[in-house]
């Protein structure tokens, strides 16, 4: 197992605001955190089209719109939904631990 795999503290819950994506670095990975209807989600933060930061984009329900060319992804599944994006983004499990949000990175 890679040293970075497993659960990591991503942010304080208070930093992850409803409808406002938050970009963080976790063990060298760029991750976007989201809070929608009091549920938390985490995805890769780099758009698979031309590497814009999704945390700079607009969150519309459970869809994140890339700020560069307006491609959309489902933050629950990572699915690329609209042109020009074609490649899905990774999604990561999240859990609440006290006042912190934790993200599980894969191997
Ligand atoms: S960089 Fe995201 S849609 Fe082009």
């Amino acid at each position: 197992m890679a040293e970075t795999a497993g659960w990591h503290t991503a942010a304080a819950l208070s930093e992850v605001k409803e409808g406002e994506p938050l970009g963080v670095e976790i063990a060298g990975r760029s991750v976007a955190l989201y809070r929608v209807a009091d549920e938390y989600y985490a995805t890769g933060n780099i758009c698979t089209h031309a590497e814009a930061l999704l945390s700079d984009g607009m969150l519309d329900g459970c869809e994140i719109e890339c700020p560069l060319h307006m491609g959309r992804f489902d933050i629950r599944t990572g699915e690329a939904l609209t042109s020009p994006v074609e490649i899905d983004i990774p999604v990561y499990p999240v859990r609440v631990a006290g006042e912190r949000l934790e993200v599980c990175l894969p191997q």
Side-chain angles (χ1 to χ4, degrees):
M1 180 183 281
E3 274 181 39
T4 58
W7 291 97
H8 295 262
T9 297
L13 290 183
S14 60
E15 294 178 290
V16 189
K17 305 201 184 321
E18 186 78 27
E20 295 179 25
L22 176 68
V24 294
E25 288 286 322
I26 305 174
R29 284 186 215 215
S30 188
V31 174
L33 307 174
Y34 315 89
R35 179 176 176 177
V36 178
D38 276 334
E39 295 287 332
Y40 295 91
Y41 303 91
T43 71
N45 195 17
I46 309 294
C47 182
T48 52
H49 178 237
E51 302 193 356
L53 288 179
L54 296 175
S55 57
D56 291 337
M58 188 192 71
L59 189 61
D60 178 14
C62 284
E63 295 182 10
I64 183 70
E65 183 179 85
C66 177
L68 200 51
H69 308 110
M70 303 356 179
R72 284 182 171 230
F73 300 91
D74 188 317
I75 64 170
R76 298 165 295 190
T77 62
E79 183 182 1
L81 298 173
T82 61
S83 177
V85 298
E86 297 179 341
I87 301 170
D88 298 347
I89 52 174
V91 291
Y92 305 113
V94 298
R95 69 183 181 191
V96 172
E99 294 301 311
R100 295 171 292 129
L101 183 66
E102 296 184 341
V103 170
C104 188
L105 297 181
Q107 292 184 31

